[in-house]
Amino acid sequence: MKLSIVIPFMNPDNQHFSEMLAGLAVADYALFSAVEVILINDGSQQNYQQEIAHFSKVAHPLCINVIELPCNRGVSYARNLGMAAAQGDYIALHDADDISLPERFTLSAQFLNKHPEVIVVGGDMLVFNEYRKEESLRLFPIHHHDICVDNLFYCAMAQPAMMINRALWQASGIQYTEKMDMAQDWDLVIRLSQHGQLANMGIPLVRYRQHLKQRSAEITGEFANIHVRGIWEKQLNHLGAKINPKLLQVHGHLSPYWLWQLSDISQAWALCPEDVSYWAEEMLSKNKISQYVSEPILAQKIYRLQRQWQAWKASGNPTTQIQSLL
């Protein structure tokens, strides 16, 4: 069994990049007959030859393949290029500043071996910041139908923890959509769900680094970027809902990825109870007809989001309530 690890990068911090490579060097690869690490330099202005040369020495016998792009083409283009070059039975996706736990690759491959219907498997993330001592654990739904319901609201799989069944992926013909900013992983996961089962293992597989250079660090005080809104609209259309500004506003502000972490919470606080009730009824009634996602799981999700929002409003203090939810 062969493994490919695909890592696009563009001007990462040298220390972060070195720590990421060091994590790969000590990972458990006993299950694999061959492992290739595909590094796609997406037009970096900095030089990383020293870090890569050191990694090549300490990571023997891993096969290191460096693809140099003459100019920046975007992370989706770079990932597509790396995945097309991959020769492994399984493709592990990786970011240039995160650190895989040593057992990640073996556990993920064992899972895919036991579940040949699964096109992509992921896991939870330990979130860290080098300026803080504590780590937090970001959890994701485990089963296919739960993931598909959560994908109505946010990306329910952690891209830095994902491993893809290459044969199923090739048969699907799915690639990353270019120029989708930070929504490219969400878009990919939704489309892959039409060609195989999705799964998360329910255990942390990576240490996810939070820092100021991340795209998500720039998104404070805005409703959502254009690509996220586009995915919400497309998902609601598949569900059968009648799209209008009021419905989209409620959906966006009750989606946990935005309400509890990034958005302007004053707008979520200002939602009208009647509009929230209308949104819930529209989602449930139209899905009953379309059967786009599991009825009972969606009903449970809608109830939980309504319950959280109502309790938050009743608390009289938006900041305190949101901190308790986190």
Side-chain angles (χ1 to χ4, degrees):
M1 180 168 52
K2 298 179 181 179
L3 172 67
S4 299
I5 305 173
V6 173
I7 312 170
F9 66 95
M10 199 276 287
N11 294 331
D13 179 271
N14 292 79
Q15 183 63 31
H16 297 172
F17 191 64
S18 294
E19 290 175 0
M20 179 275 295
L21 293 175
L24 293 180
V26 297
D28 176 14
Y29 301 111
L31 193 64
F32 305 101
S33 60
V35 178
E36 62 175 352
V37 178
I38 303 174
L39 295 162
I40 309 97
N41 186 349
D42 187 22
S44 293
Q45 297 171 339
Q46 302 179 48
N47 189 313
Y48 297 92
Q49 292 182 356
Q50 181 176 345
E51 289 84 357
I52 295 174
H54 177 72
F55 174 61
S56 298
K57 291 180 180 178
V58 300
H60 182 79
L62 302 186
C63 176
I64 315 300
N65 178 12
V66 181
I67 300 174
E68 299 278 357
L69 299 180
C71 62
N72 177 249
R73 298 293 301 271
V75 66
S76 293
Y77 179 92
R79 284 194 204 279
N80 287 336
L81 195 64
M83 291 171 70
Q87 298 297 311
D89 300 289
Y90 300 135
I91 301 174
L93 302 180
H94 213 294
D95 287 347
D97 50 5
D98 300 327
I99 302 172
S100 286
L101 299 182
E103 66 275 15
R104 171 196 169 182
F105 305 110
T106 293
L107 292 176
S108 298
Q110 288 174 336
F111 185 95
L112 290 175
N113 282 343
K114 293 179 181 178
H115 301 89
E117 74 283 1
V118 172
I119 193 169
V120 55
V121 65
D124 300 326
M125 300 193 301
L126 289 166
V127 182
F128 76 102
N129 183 319
E130 54 259 50
Y131 300 109
R132 302 174 186 168
K133 293 183 179 180
E134 68 276 5
E135 290 188 335
S136 60
L137 181 60
R138 188 172 297 177
L139 304 178
F140 293 85
I142 294 175
H143 303 295
H144 175 79
H145 292 298
D146 296 285
I147 296 170
C148 289
V149 167
D150 274 25
N151 272 334
L152 293 171
F153 304 93
Y154 71 106
C155 185
M157 297 191 73
Q159 179 175 255
M162 286 177 9
M163 182 179 286
I164 293 174
N165 180 316
R166 179 167 162 258
L168 292 181
W169 166 70
Q170 286 183 319
S172 76
I174 299 295
Q175 289 190 318
Y176 280 95
T177 302
E178 293 183 38
K179 303 186 185 303
M180 280 204 71
D181 199 31
M182 63 176 294
Q184 41 89 23
D185 53 341
W186 189 9
D187 172 72
L188 180 83
V189 166
I190 290 170
R191 290 185 293 127
L192 286 178
S193 70
Q194 307 303 312
H195 297 272
Q197 296 283 299
L198 308 178
N200 284 311
M201 296 179 63
I203 56 174
L205 297 177
V206 297
R207 296 184 68 229
Y208 176 76
R209 187 191 302 271
Q210 285 188 325
H211 56 88
L212 294 177
K213 287 186 177 181
Q214 288 171 311
R215 174 66 184 98
S216 58
E218 303 171 12
I219 305 180
T220 55
E222 69 174 356
F223 173 63
N225 74 17
I226 186 173
H227 302 295
V228 170
R229 290 197 298 271
I231 291 178
W232 279 333
E233 289 185 16
K234 186 180 294 185
Q235 286 283 76
L236 292 175
N237 272 321
H238 285 313
L239 196 74
K242 184 178 180 181
I243 305 297
N244 58 62
K246 184 180 296 184
L247 183 80
L248 192 60
Q249 182 185 36
V250 175
H251 188 76
H253 287 307
L254 291 189
S255 292
Y257 185 65
W258 299 99
L259 174 56
W260 313 138
Q261 296 182 51
L262 298 175
S263 76
D264 183 351
I265 61 173
S266 64
Q267 295 184 49
W269 186 262
L271 291 176
C272 176
E274 292 78 10
D275 291 342
V276 173
S277 296
Y278 159 74
W279 162 81
E281 176 59 28
E282 180 73 2
M283 295 279 286
L284 294 173
S285 63
K286 294 304 172 58
N287 183 64
K288 188 177 183 66
I289 298 170
S290 68
Q291 295 292 298
Y292 181 58
V293 296
S294 164
E295 279 192 74
I297 297 174
L298 178 62
Q300 184 182 54
K301 183 75 174 182
I302 295 292
Y303 169 77
R304 186 163 64 248
L305 289 174
Q306 280 185 291
R307 175 72 176 85
Q308 288 178 341
W309 183 80
Q310 290 163 353
W312 180 49
K313 287 285 289 183
S315 74
N317 189 331
T319 301
T320 299
Q321 182 64 24
I322 288 176
Q323 288 175 345
S324 69
L325 285 171
L326 284 172

